[in-house]
């Protein structure tokens, strides 16, 4: 959050924001955790819609914070009763990553822009500023990533990559989804850079966009 330390109203707002953030990311630990992956720097757990109220309340709190951070109105979940939420819990018991996934039937392929193929800073700058376009032809897809978020100070540590890998092996019982069966909801510039690398192509699938 940007604020001017010399302005009392700004300071008060910042304090409130900070308190809310700290309380949202605090993870006390639950008796029954669905652990999908354990790593030297933390673990990934999954929360399902039928889980106890305290788990769902925490997910709701995190989702609100993620939506505020993304800074624009996110599309409603298509079927909340089938949503899967993955949380990355750091070794110091903070929720530093969140991925919300839903069942979808189709996605649309992003139309490639040649500039992103160079990995220079200029190409990344260009990618950040450009709007993306996608094909009008639907392609079958199974899993939609509605939101993916990592705490700003923990980015570029493969947290989103690990959550996406865990998602692919746990979204459909007994199946390991290919990257081509996953689509990203209206990706932000960060999301697009991540998805391009994760899927190994700038022509990854998207859904939920405003046409
Ligand atoms: N700029 C350039 N490349 C990026 C990038 C960025 N901001 N974020 C990810 N990548 C690419 C890199 O190639 C990276 O590999 P590298 O670090 O070895 O170069 C690769 O994707 C894997 O990134 P990873 O570390 O797994 O991603 P992350 O944990 O930092 O999380 C986001 C990525 C998008 C979730 C995170 O930046 C974020 O929370 N952003 C704000 C919320 C947001 O916009 N979410 C997307 C909604 S669609």
């Amino acid at each position: 959050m940007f604020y001017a330390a010399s302005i009392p109203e700004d300071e008060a707002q910042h304090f409130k924001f900070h308190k809310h953030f700290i309380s949202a990311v605090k993870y006390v630990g639950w008796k029954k955790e669905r652990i999908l992956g354990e790593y030297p720097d933390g673990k990934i757990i999954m929360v399902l819609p039928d889980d106890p109220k305290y788990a769902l309340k925490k997910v709701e709190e995190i989702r609100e914070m993620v939506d505020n951070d993304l800074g624009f109105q996110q599309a409603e979940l298509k079927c909340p009763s089938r949503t899967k939420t993955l949380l990355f819990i750091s070794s110091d018991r903070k929720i530093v990553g969140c991925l919300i996934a839903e069942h979808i039937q189709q996605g649309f392929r992003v139309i490639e822009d040649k500039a992103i193929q160079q990995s220079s800073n200029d190409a990344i700058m260009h990618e950040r500023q450009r709007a993306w376009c996608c094909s009008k032809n639907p392609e079958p897809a199974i899993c939609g990533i509605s939101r993916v978020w990592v705490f700003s100070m923990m980015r570029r540590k493969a947290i989103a990559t690990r959550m996406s890998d865990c998602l692919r092996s746990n979204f459909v019982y007994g199946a390991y989804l290919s990257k081509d069966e996953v689509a990203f909801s209206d990706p932000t510039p960060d999301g697009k850079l991540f998805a391009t690398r994760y899927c190994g192509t700038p022509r990854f699938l998207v859904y939920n966009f405003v046409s």
Side-chain angles (χ1 to χ4, degrees):
M1 172 191 179
F2 288 105
Y3 76 107
S6 53
I7 304 175
E9 291 82 6
D10 259 30
E11 280 219 56
Q13 276 299 326
H14 176 244
F15 180 70
K16 215 170 130 189
F17 176 88
H18 181 74
K19 229 174 115 186
H20 192 245
F21 179 82
I22 296 296
S23 132
V25 300
K26 189 171 159 193
Y27 179 77
V28 288
W30 301 327
K31 257 193 217 158
K32 279 192 189 169
E33 285 175 342
R34 202 174 285 104
I35 299 178
L36 305 188
E38 287 186 280
Y39 313 93
D41 58 342
K43 63 183 170 191
I44 293 175
I45 62 166
M46 179 162 72
V47 180
L48 299 179
D50 290 334
D51 281 353
K53 270 198 179 141
Y54 56 79
L56 301 182
K57 195 167 161 255
K58 180 51 87 179
V59 161
E60 189 55 25
E61 216 179 332
I62 287 288
R63 191 190 55 74
E64 264 179 33
M65 193 200 59
V66 168
D67 285 0
N68 279 338
D69 204 27
L70 286 170
F72 59 93
Q73 184 68 40
Q74 301 302 301
E76 291 291 318
L77 289 160
K78 295 190 188 315
C79 183
S81 63
R82 296 185 72 202
T83 301
K84 292 183 167 72
T85 303
L86 272 60
L87 300 175
F88 192 103
I89 316 288
S90 64
S91 317
D92 62 349
R93 290 172 169 266
K94 305 250 177 355
I95 299 171
V96 295
C98 171
L99 186 156
I100 304 180
E102 58 186 340
H103 286 265
I104 56 168
Q105 272 78 47
Q106 59 184 33
F108 299 82
R109 223 160 263 291
V110 168
I111 296 170
E112 184 178 356
D113 181 331
K114 300 282 182 240
I116 191 69
Q117 290 189 338
Q118 313 138 24
S119 59
S120 67
N121 285 344
D122 281 357
I124 289 184
M125 251 348 238
H126 170 79
E127 189 52 30
R128 285 195 166 284
Q129 286 158 10
R130 147 188 118 83
W132 52 268
C133 306
C134 69
S135 158
K136 285 182 182 164
N137 300 328
E139 292 185 31
I142 294 175
C143 174
I145 297 186
S146 163
R147 290 150 177 89
V148 54
W149 168 90
V150 172
F151 172 47
S152 55
M153 291 172 78
M154 299 293 280
R155 289 181 191 160
R156 306 298 289 271
K157 295 180 192 295
I159 290 180
T161 299
R162 284 178 276 172
M163 289 194 295
S164 306
D165 286 345
C166 279
L167 173 73
R168 284 168 52 217
S169 49
N170 289 278
F171 191 70
V172 176
Y173 184 73
Y176 187 62
L177 296 184
S178 78
K179 291 178 182 174
D180 241 10
E181 291 170 309
V182 176
F184 291 79
S185 172
D186 195 5
T188 59
D190 273 351
K192 196 165 181 299
L193 288 160
F194 166 70
T196 298
R197 165 57 86 91
Y198 185 72
C199 297
T201 171
R203 300 180 67 249
F204 59 89
L205 293 175
V206 293
Y207 73 108
N208 263 351
F209 48 85
V210 182
S211 54

